[in-house]
Amino acid sequence: MNYAMALNYQNCINCKACETACKEENGVQLGADKQRIWVGITEGTIFGKPYLNLYPSQCNHCIDAPCVSVCPTYASHIVDGGIVKVDPSKCILCKGCMEACPYDARFVDDTMVAVDKCTFCDHRIDEYGTTACQATCPTKVRLFGDLDDEDSDIVQLLKTKKFFFQKESAGTLPKLFYIVPDNESYARQSISHNTVIHTWDDFKPKYDAARDKRSKEWKR
Ligand code: SF4
Ligand code: SF4
Ligand code: SF4
């Protein structure tokens, strides 16, 4: 298994239901700067017309996760399914992982006195098959699933749509897939020009190779 999330980001209305559900489901510390999930906003103009893009975001559960590589105590680790986690009992709050993450996906939970981040709700996958943020989103932005299962809804979606990643050039092999809307020319103009747009066929071999190499380090 190799869990991932696809995001129809153009459906996001920034209602923050996902943030609320995440806090409730996972007992995340209260506070605006204590988030496992957030919505990034970019604004600009295309031929004089203003646009605004909302990018729902959370930990990318990167295959080549630098937060795991730098952790001196193995508090940050990858479990089965390619989910990046933190063991709070091993965290010494050196914050190396926070520095290493290109996505700013980690924060200090003062109640646990440890770094915290999205877990892909791994405690509820067996029972519900999805995450609290996907289950709550009123506009169906998210689709959680297994990249290794050819029949999964996420693979079926990625086979029929183009997609891109945030900050792919950071080289961490992220697993949040941003779905290119049907109006592709708009998307191309409103995302940064060095963003690469992928198809399933060009993406799959690269990720399979990385997964085969790194999955030996995944722990139960
Ligand atoms: Fe680590 Fe950041 Fe990647 Fe999450 S997004 S796995 S915290 S580097
Ligand atoms: Fe590891 Fe905690 Fe340091 Fe992050 S802050 S690198 S999880 S020990
Ligand atoms: Fe929060 Fe779970 Fe969504 Fe991660 S997958 S952002 S932990 S609700």
Side-chain angles (χ1 to χ4, degrees):
M1 283 175 296
N2 189 8
Y3 289 118
M5 187 81 84
L7 298 110
N8 269 310
Y9 70 100
Q10 291 233 317
N11 286 359
C12 180
I13 55 172
N14 204 6
C15 67
K16 305 200 189 304
C18 53
E19 292 183 18
T20 307
C22 177
K23 285 213 187 260
E24 173 72 19
E25 175 74 25
N26 296 291
V28 176
Q29 184 182 6
L30 296 179
D33 60 338
K34 307 292 181 185
Q35 299 289 8
R36 289 185 176 191
I37 184 170
W38 65 93
V39 177
I41 299 175
T42 61
E43 296 176 75
T45 54
I46 300 173
F47 299 123
K49 290 192 178 163
Y51 72 85
L52 181 145
N53 275 343
L54 301 171
Y55 292 114
S57 206
Q58 61 215 78
C59 170
N60 275 267
H61 297 275
C62 308
I63 294 181
D64 271 337
C67 54
V68 172
S69 313
V70 301
C71 181
T73 64
Y74 304 104
S76 288
H77 59 287
I78 307 185
V79 297
D80 261 358
I83 297 176
V84 176
K85 295 195 69 176
V86 181
D87 178 346
S89 70
K90 291 184 180 165
C91 179
I92 57 171
L93 273 186
C94 68
K95 301 185 185 174
C97 57
M98 293 171 67
E99 291 286 325
C101 173
Y103 298 94
D104 203 15
R106 292 171 168 242
F107 63 94
V108 174
D109 183 310
D110 304 305
T111 61
M112 292 197 301
V113 196
V115 163
D116 191 36
K117 59 176 275 302
C118 165
T119 57
F120 267 171
C121 287
D122 64 334
H123 62 284
R124 52 171 278 158
I125 296 173
D126 287 348
E127 189 175 357
Y128 296 105
T130 189
T131 66
C133 50
Q134 177 185 339
T136 308
C137 179
T139 56
K140 309 288 179 225
V141 165
R142 288 180 169 75
L143 181 60
F144 173 78
D146 180 6
L147 295 180
D148 286 349
D149 178 359
E150 288 280 320
D151 296 325
S152 66
D153 289 345
I154 189 170
V155 173
Q156 295 302 315
L157 177 71
L158 295 175
K159 281 182 174 176
T160 57
K161 298 281 187 184
K162 295 179 182 173
F163 49 84
F164 61 90
F165 303 96
Q166 301 278 352
K167 299 184 185 175
E168 185 182 2
S169 58
T172 66
L173 298 175
K175 290 191 295 184
L176 294 187
F177 295 76
Y178 290 82
I179 302 297
V180 174
D182 292 337
N183 184 355
E184 186 179 335
S185 63
Y186 170 84
R188 282 191 184 272
Q189 288 162 15
S190 64
I191 58 180
S192 70
H193 357 270
N194 55 2
T195 300
V196 179
I197 292 184
H198 295 281
T199 63
W200 179 253
D201 288 341
D202 83 61
F203 152 84
K204 185 82 166 56
K206 181 178 167 193
Y207 268 67
D208 277 351
R211 180 204 182 288
D212 290 348
K213 188 170 157 209
R214 298 304 298 262
S215 60
K216 298 177 187 72
E217 300 158 28
W218 298 356
K219 299 174 195 150
R220 285 179 191 281

